[in-house]
Amino acid sequence: MTEPSPRNSHETRVFSGVQPTGQLHLGNYLGALSKFVKLQDQHECVFCVVDLHAITVPQKRNVLAENSRQISAAFLACGLDPEKATIFVQSSVPAHAELAWILSCTARMGWLERMTQFKDKAGKDAERSSVGLFSYPVLQAADILAYQATHVPVGDDQKQHLELSRDIAARFNRDYDAPEFFPLPEPLIQGPGARIMSLKDGSVKMSKSDPSDLSRINLNDSPEQITKKFKKARTDPDGVPQEVEGLAGRDGADNLVAIYAALAEISKADVLRQFGGQGWGVFKPALADLAVAKLSPIAERLAQFNNDPAELDRVLRAGADKANAISEPVMQKVREIVGFWRP
Ligand code: TRP
């Protein structure tokens, strides 16, 4: 390298991605989107709908496109503001795929072979899974590094991938003698992570792939559906305890209290101070009312985007332009660092 790598103009830059697979639910909102909304006021933020990641497993073209639209709309409906943050769809910005290739020549086979998510997703028949599923975490590293992002909000399940992104960044900087070119991205762990569980089984995460729709609150559920689902949520014969210790070993009860706490942005202890000693017949309708108050404006905005697809297109195209304006100068440097000749 002839000149020192450009120290980034930004102090911190946050990057995160969400896969366009199916509907978003309350767990996604409390675990990720509501946090993104707070982050956009504190940091420069880049939020991406990661459709390139989605095709690591088979997808139907119309379904994939529709899911990308839905997640994009949900980003905006939840309060992500294109004036504050950069919001876009991954495949509309070429840097991701290009950098993923370059970084796949930096990452080592052995590093990827240790990834537990690949082992979980590929199952017994790893030989038949796509090469893309294996190199998925390299694409994730490219997402982050194409923006020279410094911080990534992550749940527990993504910690190992972020660790790998750091290893790839460090190795690239070293192999190409470009000290500090890529910042080593750090996890951003925000408060006690709200891990929202299924309403039917408090021992498994709320999930869009659960066959029972009663197990989750979708962001576009009507007030009636929300009320009905909480009413049918699994609890136990004991009522709402007075103290947090009283939730131990009662995962259904614990989940409902945790949801209330997360929606109201108070502690579980505060929820129990308010409802301790009451029956679920009192607590559940109060929880449903709170959820409806928080979610119905989101459902309304989602419906607006669905009624005006041109507006959604416009916002996401502008987001892609913004993303490109950040990542393309980084890629120009990368090409130079690697030694590509551009005649
Ligand atoms: N792998 C992440 C998930 O499944 C999604 C993702 C893709 C991501 N690229 C990212 C998350 C970059 C954070 C940063 O949740």
Side-chain angles (χ1 to χ4, degrees), residues 109-175:
M109 288 292 289
W111 301 356
L112 288 172
E113 275 160 4
R114 284 197 285 278
M115 294 295 117
T116 56
Q117 185 167 306
F118 174 74
K119 291 181 208 165
D120 292 346
K121 281 198 187 168
K124 320 186 263 320
D125 210 1
E127 292 290 307
R128 282 179 187 281
S129 60
S130 70
V131 175
L133 189 66
F134 183 68
S135 60
Y136 177 115
V138 178
L139 178 59
Q140 184 162 347
D143 294 341
I144 299 165
L145 299 178
Y147 299 86
Q148 293 181 319
T150 56
H151 291 82
V152 180
V154 278
D156 276 342
D157 62 332
Q158 293 300 313
K159 277 197 185 131
Q160 196 185 31
H161 286 167
L162 186 62
E163 205 46 52
L164 184 84
S165 298
R166 294 171 62 84
D167 291 343
I168 292 175
R171 176 81 183 237
F172 181 96
N173 293 348
R174 186 158 59 84
D175 283 358

